[in-house]
Amino acid sequence: EGFAVMAHVNGAPAIKAALMAGVDSVEHGYWPDRETADMLLQTGAVWTPTRAAVENLINTGKYRRGVLESVLDAQAQCLKYAYERGALIASGSDGGAQAVAQGDGALDEYRMLASLGIDPARGNERVAEVFRV
């Protein structure tokens, strides 16, 4: 139909399946692996990691800090790997999720990606093409 397809998916097997099915964008993408990152690059799909949806929960006391940090660390390693190889990373906060305020969540996400050395503005033309903006 010509529409961009976004997959809200987590876990390396599910992310890979979505990419093999031809999705244009992976939202969240927690628990990836390096093969996942390589597939992002091969397919040209955009990764919107929504780190704010996890990081903003760390100081709420609702979930174990160590678990949240391990989720973020695993994702960060793969994000850096993917970005260094040229994969497209977009900033999207999952605004409205628990502890992710509308508006501020987008700023949080951009800051979180920048702290990893990732500039989501890189490749904006391609990202806009994928999302048909």
Side-chain angles (χ1 to χ4, degrees), residues 2-116:
F3 292 104
V5 176
M6 302 168 157
H8 291 249
V9 63
N10 295 304
I15 298 166
K16 291 173 194 173
L19 291 168
M20 286 189 294
V23 299
D24 298 290
S25 177
V26 170
E27 316 307 305
H28 314 301
Y30 298 109
W31 304 287
D33 60 16
R34 287 187 175 212
E35 186 180 349
T36 303
D38 292 336
M39 287 180 71
L40 282 161
L41 189 55
Q42 292 164 1
T43 63
V46 177
W47 186 3
T48 309
T50 65
R51 293 179 62 78
V54 174
E55 189 170 322
N56 286 356
L57 293 172
I58 288 177
N59 293 319
T60 65
K62 293 184 178 193
Y63 305 96
R64 289 186 298 179
R65 181 183 194 95
V67 171
L68 297 173
E69 288 173 344
S70 70
V71 169
L72 290 170
D73 184 55
Q75 189 193 50
Q77 298 308 312
C78 196
L79 270 169
K80 288 189 259 185
Y81 176 84
Y83 183 76
E84 288 167 3
R85 280 151 187 76
L88 298 171
I89 312 292
S91 179
S93 67
D94 211 20
Q98 185 177 358
V100 183
Q102 295 286 354
D104 287 343
L107 297 174
D108 290 344
E109 184 73 14
Y110 205 90
R111 176 187 50 78
M112 291 169 193
L113 291 172
S115 75
L116 297 174

